[in-house]
């Protein structure tokens, strides 16, 4: 067994309204910054023991499906690195 | 000028309590998952026009300093890719 860090990035699916991102973009523009778009995402870094990187990725994917992401409105991706 | 996507990842400094992460970890453990630690971070993907990648990174860093991150409790990093 080894310890891995699985990074799960959860973002809204394209087409789903992102009021937080819109508000943040407007605030930046009021501060004088120019940007054409802003998207926000949540990121979870999970430390877990697993037999190999694939098992760590599978387990992190299950955690995303069960809790971290809402499959109706979110997409997510998983990246794994050995600690 | 070219269009770049600057990804700003904002996370709490080590030692700063992260109640959201703790609550999420406990919920995952109640679902039967085993993990030794969980850290959460906010991620902002900014599309902006710039002369080069360095200028895009500088501008994204300024946005982080002014609005996206609170320097007292947050660390942040910036990654830039051409769109």
């Amino acid at each position: 067994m080894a310890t891995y860090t699985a990074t799960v990035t959860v973002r809204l699916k394209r087409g789903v309204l992102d009021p937080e991102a819109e508000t943040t973009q407007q605030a930046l523009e009021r501060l004088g910054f120019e940007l054409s778009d802003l998207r926000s995402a949540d990121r979870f870094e999970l430390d877990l023991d697993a037999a190999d990187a694939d098992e760590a990725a599978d387990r992190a994917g299950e955690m995303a499906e069960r809790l971290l992401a809402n499959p109706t409105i979110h997409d997510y991706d998983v990246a794994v690195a050995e600690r």
Side-chain angles (χ1 to χ4, degrees), chain A:
Chain A
M1 296 282 267
T3 302
Y4 294 88
T5 295
T7 301
V8 180
T9 303
V10 178
R11 59 171 58 81
L12 289 168
K13 289 180 191 259
R14 279 206 185 273
V16 176
L17 269 184
D18 189 346
E20 179 187 342
E22 269 176 45
T23 308
T24 305
Q25 180 168 352
Q26 286 158 9
L28 286 168
E29 283 163 347
R30 275 199 302 275
L31 287 171
F33 292 107
E34 284 178 26
L35 61 160
S36 47
D37 192 22
L38 184 148
R39 297 170 298 280
S40 62
D42 289 324
R43 196 160 127 137
F44 300 93
E45 294 170 4
L46 314 162
D47 295 344
L48 47 99
D49 293 329
D52 54 39
D54 287 341
E55 189 199 310
D58 289 345
R59 288 238 312 275
E62 274 176 62
M63 294 186 212
E65 294 281 335
R66 293 283 303 276
L67 186 78
L68 303 178
N70 173 343
T72 314
I73 58 169
H74 290 132
D75 288 323
Y76 69 87
D77 58 69
V78 178
V80 174
E82 193 159 350
R83 276 181 70 80

